[in-house]
Amino acid sequence: LFNAPRSIPHPESDDDTTNANTNVNAAIDDHSGRHLLLGPLLTSFRAFSRHFPPSLLGEAIGSSEEIRAAHNSFGRADDAFLHDPTSRRRRDRREGEDEDVFHFVAFVPHGEDGCLYELDGLKAGPVRVGRYRDGGDGAENRNSQTESNSAYAKETLTWLHLAKTAIQTRLSHYPPAEIKFNLLAVTQDRRTYLSSHLDSLVAMGLEESDPAMLHVREELLAEENKRELWQVENERRRWNYLPFCVELLRSLAGSGKLE
């Protein structure tokens, strides 16, 4: 179970998303051929750090330029005057006053012992939430000829239900109107599944005009269009609109339209 306590006190160096992603190969598999595979960066990183103690895993994540760049790529640029060292409010925030700590907490199933774990970089180690499988070794159970796909799918739903209960319990400690939460799931890129399915249909000898082929291509095109929209949204979110807003207010004030 890969778990890296946070070693760098910056929200953009959040280790918990890396904890979740790096456990993908070992923990998540829907048993229907749609496996979640790590990319080359995290695959290499996990192989490099597999024998590190937890205390060094956080340091290794913080020292990775590629991982840091990926985390920081969604950060919004701030103006210099927002970081005025003479500002009492900024100084108080640096001293830990009136500042919320936002970070990800990962819930990961561990196939070897059939338990669900909470991975929080602010804690010393993994926290076992509960057991979703009774006894037996996870790897042996998955490879057994007697275990059906439906049974494994039911097991997957069981750990998801366990994680759902843990999340709901945590949220219940906050007011109902609280919105400072994001819920994310690590899933396979649907384009990977659709491309594989398309290759299977081609191997079966189906024509391009076949309804099944057309349907898969339409879904694949929709996924590509969706990611183009995401790219535009991400650019807008990262863009710093503050200088524009300041200049607009100055212009309106200069023309007397704010009176």
Side-chain angles (χ1 to χ4, degrees):
L1 187 64
F2 185 97
N3 180 68
R6 183 183 300 183
S7 59
I8 300 179
H10 298 293
E12 61 268 22
S13 64
D14 198 328
D15 298 337
D16 304 294
T17 50
T18 306
N19 281 336
N21 288 324
T22 311
N23 279 290
V24 160
N25 279 15
I28 305 178
D29 173 9
D30 65 6
H31 208 63
S32 62
R34 296 174 58 180
H35 310 295
L36 301 181
L37 302 177
L38 292 178
L41 172 59
L42 290 184
T43 298
S44 175
F45 176 80
R46 190 173 68 171
F48 168 73
S49 60
R50 61 182 302 177
H51 297 300
F52 286 10
S55 59
L56 286 183
L57 288 177
E59 294 286 350
I61 292 176
S63 300
S64 171
E65 293 291 342
E66 295 87 351
I67 295 178
R68 184 187 299 111
H71 278 292
N72 294 348
S73 65
F74 287 91
R76 180 181 296 146
D78 292 329
D79 282 278
F81 70 86
L82 292 179
H83 298 277
D84 182 1
T86 63
S87 170
R88 176 172 177 77
R89 182 171 180 269
R90 300 296 301 182
R91 184 170 61 252
D92 290 344
R93 289 176 64 86
R94 286 198 304 273
E95 293 174 355
E97 299 179 11
D98 193 30
E99 180 176 13
D100 294 324
V101 178
F102 294 101
H103 69 293
F104 286 104
V105 175
F107 291 91
V108 176
H110 192 233
E112 297 301 321
D113 59 5
C115 293
L116 177 71
Y117 288 90
E118 174 188 327
L119 305 182
D120 187 342
L122 298 180
K123 296 181 180 179
V127 177
R128 188 169 71 175
V129 177
R131 181 178 297 276
Y132 63 90
R133 186 199 310 123
D134 294 328
D137 177 76
E140 293 180 358
N141 287 342
R142 286 196 298 271
N143 295 327
S144 173
Q145 296 295 327
T146 60
E147 184 179 18
S148 65
N149 289 353
S150 59
Y152 192 80
K154 181 178 179 180
E155 177 183 292
T156 301
L157 292 176
T158 301
W159 83 255
L160 288 175
H161 177 74
L162 192 61
K164 175 184 175 182
T165 302
I167 294 172
Q168 289 177 332
T169 300
R170 173 168 297 190
L171 296 184
S172 67
H173 298 157
Y174 296 87
E178 181 61 73
I179 61 172
K180 295 180 180 179
F181 298 101
N182 281 317
L183 184 61
L184 307 177
V186 179
T187 63
Q188 182 196 55
D189 188 336
R190 184 162 175 78
R191 295 174 300 176
T192 303
Y193 165 70
L194 291 173
S195 297
S196 177
H197 187 35
L198 191 62
D199 292 340
S200 299
L201 295 178
V202 172
M204 292 170 58
L206 296 185
E207 299 291 338
E208 287 293 331
S209 58
D210 188 277
M213 292 281 290
L214 294 176
H215 178 69
V216 175
R217 289 195 181 279
E218 288 177 358
E219 288 193 333
L220 189 56
L221 180 60
E223 290 296 323
E224 294 291 351
N225 292 337
K226 183 191 302 182
R227 279 155 182 79
E228 290 181 3
L229 292 177
W230 288 351
Q231 179 67 26
V232 174
E233 292 173 357
N234 288 335
E235 290 295 334
R236 289 174 176 171
R237 182 166 58 247
R238 287 192 290 257
W239 189 261
N240 182 15
Y241 289 95
L242 189 56
F244 165 75
C245 294
V246 171
E247 289 301 321
L248 177 60
L249 291 174
R250 286 175 177 172
S251 177
L252 292 175
S255 62
K257 295 182 178 180
L258 292 182
E259 295 180 359

